[in-house]
Amino acid sequence: MDPLRETYRQEADELLADLETALLELEERPGDGELVGRAFRALHTIKGSGAMCGYDDVAAFTHQIENAFDRVRSGQVAVTPGLVTASLGAKDHIRALLWEEAGPTAGEPLLAEIRRLTEPAADPQRPPRGRAAAGAAPSAAPPRPARQAGATGVYRIRFRPHPSLFAGGTDPARLLAELRGLGPCRVVADTDRIPPLEAIDPEACYTQWDLVLTTDRGFDAVRDVFIFVEGESEVTIEEVAGKEDGAEPRRLGQILAARGDATPEAIEAALTGQRRLGQILEETGIVKHRQVQAALAEQQAVNEVRQRREAAETEASIRVPAAKLDTLVDLVGELVIAQARLSELAARRDDPDLLSVTETLERLSTELRDNALNIRMLPIGTTFGRFRRLVRDLSSELGKQVELVTEGAETELDKTVIERLGDPLVHLIRNAIDHGLEAPEERERAAKPRVGTVRLSAYHSGPNVFIAISDDGRGLNAQAIRAKAVERGLLGADDSPSEKELFDLVFAPGFSTAKKVTGVSGRGVGMDVVKRSITALRGSVELGSSPGGGTTVRIRLPLTLAIIEGLLVQVGEERFVLPLVLVEECIELTPGDRQRAHGRQTAEVRGHLVPYVRLREWFGIDGRAPEIEQVVVANLDGERFGFAVDHVVGQHQTVIKTLGRVYQGIEGLSGSTILGDGAVALILDPPKILAARLADRSG
């Protein structure tokens, strides 16, 4: 595909996501002019860039939707739920056109509905939009190509309304306020036309304005402000600064000459004086005070934009395909493995020069690793945003009132994890709305608000990110789950599982307590998919619920699937890696310590007992432990827990590799890594070991 078209499709996808967000927020705040402008600008950019890149069907369809939102923006049409619904459908159709999943004619019903909602009856008194009335001066064309939205420019605007402007119901103050909504705007009023008091017509407009606007909305957005007064005013819009301008600041005399307020000869003559140019020109009567003020405002705006652009040039970003990032991280991983091998070789040879080079390489590879991983980190809010539309559509389909609350959208996670997280979260949110939340009437009978809440939150804890999906609905029915489990043979009639074990049965394939199958759920193919997907990401998922209080699904995920900092330990001939971020300290466990524990696996650490597990026993490793063992104490969600090993080798940059089939069923392992000598070490999953240990004790 043409690289230009591919780039446009990527950018259009981002604009469509922004459009959807604006539309959903508009449904909550229909009078918010900024949101209307945001939707209009997204449509305008999609249309303009689409036509330029050869997507004529996209441009033609989007143009019709843009016209509708132009009417909304001008106050002719109010935002209604029906308009939001139709516009969301139009957004979906634009994306289908973009990715060639639909033909142009498929959007005709949507266009007909949007026209019905937004096109007012024809008004014979209003002049046609975009045309000047007879005898009125049209807007001047810009002296340079119109700037696309997104690049900051400075615009010189001269607004000379006809004295009869007020008769048409136009308020110039609202036009100036709309300009200020586009960006910083300096306004200088020209009052020269105002006659003496006895000659003033109170229904006439005498004031004119010179304005300097700094905005990234583009020339068309500026011109659209005056679209309804073009026929009864003289409006001149010129772009006086932008990205392509030279680095040399513009002087006051140059600006006055460009504006036509003074001739170059008069300015040259004034420059021979010793006072400020503006003061000289005022005193000689060449220009008026307000003209100097307008020119100074323009000069200041242009210089500010130039300074910001120069400061930001070093911070410019580029778009990089995800595959290239994945390749970069893979190469960094191989470099880390090679560096570990070199470090081990240098340590054996005891060569000072080789050791020095190895230490430098280790430092550089660590910095490169951290930078490569940071590039892949994205805020999880990029995933959260897509669920607002899901909640809106699903609540409407089920006849429920639902509010989605998100927290921790700024929490960062590896892009690979985020990409694979979308489908599991969709299943969980659908279940929360369908199974968890009651109908509005049922909630009222239970003394709850008619509007149910689904809360989606994320937060960091150590090397993990936790995502919680909770609702304030009826909660899980433990008796129904038990009855279904007995019916399917997952439980015996006399079994007494714990609440956690009972709730975990919800993740069994084909398990569902729904009394009927709907278009949303009831087939039992959701929660098992969720668990498999989360497990494939080296994460875990657990359920919590209380009758009438709602349900919470808590997902634990690793920050990254690529490289971590680990602590290498040894048990017999086997070596293991613990995530270093969980490790608090390492202590010795002597025969006397074991004797004082009276057979219990606890170690005294500064007056506090810390339980531990022997990895030799946990994994069934043959051989005897040394007289003095090492206990690595980890902090797991505020609880201290130890791992007894033979030796602590030291810190190790760990490139995570997927476990083979032989090890996938072993509790407490999250991956593997290759050491410097070419051997394989297993990466421990301390939270799972702790959870399994607690389950054994309760059993």
Side-chain angles (χ1 to χ4, degrees), residues 163 196 225 409:
V225 173

Side-chain angles (χ1 to χ4, degrees), residues 261-442:
D261 294 330
T263 64
E265 292 77 14
I267 293 171
E268 185 66 30
L271 286 173
T272 59
Q274 296 297 314
R275 290 168 294 170
R276 289 182 179 273
L277 176 60
Q279 182 182 357
I280 296 170
L281 293 175
E282 283 186 50
E283 291 179 358
T284 56
I286 297 173
V287 295
K288 295 181 174 61
H289 176 72
R290 60 99 184 162
Q291 293 172 322
V292 173
Q293 294 303 308
L296 286 171
E298 179 180 319
Q299 182 187 49
Q300 183 179 354
V302 171
N303 289 340
E304 286 176 358
V305 169
R306 180 175 287 106
Q307 290 169 3
R308 286 198 300 269
R309 185 175 66 248
E310 290 172 353
E313 280 178 352
T314 57
E315 301 176 4
S317 60
I318 60 173
R319 188 184 298 273
V320 178
K324 290 187 177 180
L325 286 182
D326 294 338
T327 301
L328 173 63
V329 172
D330 289 342
L331 291 174
V332 170
E334 296 303 319
L335 176 63
V336 167
I337 293 173
Q339 177 268 316
R341 185 175 181 183
L342 179 61
S343 296
E344 187 168 323
L345 181 63
R348 287 204 305 266
R349 296 202 175 178
D350 198 22
D351 184 335
D353 292 335
L354 183 57
L355 285 171
S356 176
V357 172
T358 302
E359 289 172 0
T360 302
L361 179 60
E362 182 176 358
R363 176 178 57 82
L364 293 175
S365 65
T366 300
E367 292 179 5
L368 180 60
R369 176 205 66 188
D370 292 342
N371 277 279
L373 293 181
N374 283 336
I375 292 173
R376 286 166 52 109
M377 301 298 280
L378 295 174
I380 200 169
T382 56
T383 296
F384 283 6
R386 61 183 285 197
F387 301 125
R388 297 188 62 188
R389 174 77 179 279
L390 171 68
V391 170
R392 178 189 185 272
D393 294 347
L394 195 56
S395 58
S396 176
E397 178 184 343
L398 298 173
K400 298 181 179 181
Q401 299 176 22
V402 184
E403 178 186 11
L404 176 67
V405 178
T406 60
E407 299 172 346
E410 71 284 354
T411 304
E412 290 190 334
L413 194 58
D414 189 288
K415 77 167 189 66
T416 304
V417 179
I418 289 179
E419 288 169 356
R420 295 162 62 182
L421 191 59
D423 289 343
L425 291 182
V426 166
H427 281 299
L428 293 173
I429 291 174
R430 289 167 69 94
N431 275 354
I433 297 174
D434 190 22
H435 292 304
L437 296 179
E438 311 93 332
E441 296 76 16
E442 185 181 344

Side-chain angles (χ1 to χ4, degrees), residues 38 51 60 79 137 171 205 359 361 446 470 496 554 559 646 667 686:
R38 183 173 157 191
V79 176
D171 182 0
C205 178
E359 289 172 0
L361 179 60
S470 59
S496 301
R554 192 165 177 258
L559 271 175
D646 293 358
E667 192 77 36

Side-chain angles (χ1 to χ4, degrees), residues 485-568:
V486 172
E487 176 188 329
R488 295 194 53 203
L490 299 175
L491 276 181
D494 298 328
D495 289 348
S496 301
S498 65
E499 184 179 80
K500 180 181 182 305
E501 291 171 335
L502 190 63
F503 288 164
D504 282 347
L505 293 173
V506 172
F507 296 106
F511 192 95
S512 176
T513 58
K515 296 180 180 178
K516 64 178 181 178
V517 174
T518 69
V520 176
S521 60
R523 294 178 175 84
V525 293
M527 297 301 283
D528 64 314
V529 172
V530 168
K531 186 163 187 178
R532 284 202 305 269
S533 300
I534 299 302
T535 302
L537 292 171
R538 300 203 326 273
S540 62
V541 56
E542 60 183 34
L543 273 171
S545 182
S546 60
T551 303
T552 298
V553 182
R554 192 165 177 258
I555 298 172
R556 179 181 63 85
L557 293 165
L559 271 175
T560 178
L561 301 178
I563 306 172
I564 62 170
E565 201 69 52
L567 182 69
L568 185 64

Side-chain angles (χ1 to χ4, degrees), residues 19 22 26 34-47 62 65-71 73 129 220-221 224:
L19 173 63
L26 260 178
E34 176 58 32
L35 289 174
V36 174
R38 183 173 157 191
F40 179 85
R41 290 189 296 274
L43 290 164
H44 183 79
T45 306
I46 292 170
K47 178 199 74 173
T62 308
I65 315 302
E66 179 192 21
N67 286 343
F69 271 84
D70 192 19
R71 298 185 189 98
R73 193 174 60 147
R129 291 178 56 188
D220 288 340
D224 285 347

Side-chain angles (χ1 to χ4, degrees), residues 53-72:
C53 295
Y55 286 94
D56 296 332
D57 291 339
V58 172
F61 181 83
T62 308
H63 179 65
Q64 302 297 320
I65 315 302
E66 179 192 21
N67 286 343
F69 271 84
D70 192 19
R71 298 185 189 98
V72 175

